[in-house]
Amino acid sequence: MEVPISTSDGAWTSDRRFEESYAPRIYLAAPDLCVEVVSPANTEREIAEKKALSFDARALEVWPCQAHGSLEIFTP
């Protein structure tokens, strides 16, 4: 499930969501756990930025998951 989160850098959501005719719900704070499925196109810098923005939005844990199944667990 992809849900946009309002962060200091703006709201995260997919381009497709913005093109759809309905307005998605946007959370004003991150959930306790944010899981990011890392695409081969994502750079380490992008993932680090998303992680920092999630913590700034009050996430307690961020889990970047690689396509091959490995993940790292980060806390603030």
Side-chain angles (χ1 to χ4, degrees), residues 2-3 5 9 14 25 36 41 45 61-62 65:
E2 186 172 321
V3 177
I5 300 170
D9 191 42
S14 65
R25 192 179 287 179
E36 177 68 30
R45 182 178 176 177
E61 293 186 11
V62 177
C65 299

Side-chain angles (χ1 to χ4, degrees), residues 4-67:
I5 300 170
S6 179
T7 67
S8 60
D9 191 42
W12 298 357
T13 191
S14 65
D15 291 337
R16 183 180 54 135
R17 286 276 182 223
F18 279 116
E19 294 170 3
E20 291 180 355
S21 61
Y22 65 92
R25 192 179 287 179
I26 296 177
Y27 294 120
L28 299 178
D32 291 344
L33 170 62
C34 293
V35 178
E36 177 68 30
V37 179
V38 179
S39 161
N42 289 127
T43 65
E44 287 185 34
R45 182 178 176 177
E46 289 173 322
I47 297 305
E49 185 175 298
K50 285 186 176 187
K51 184 172 60 174
L53 288 167
S54 292
F55 288 134
D56 186 51
R58 302 192 313 254
L60 300 178
E61 293 186 11
V62 177
W63 296 7
C65 299
Q66 304 296 326

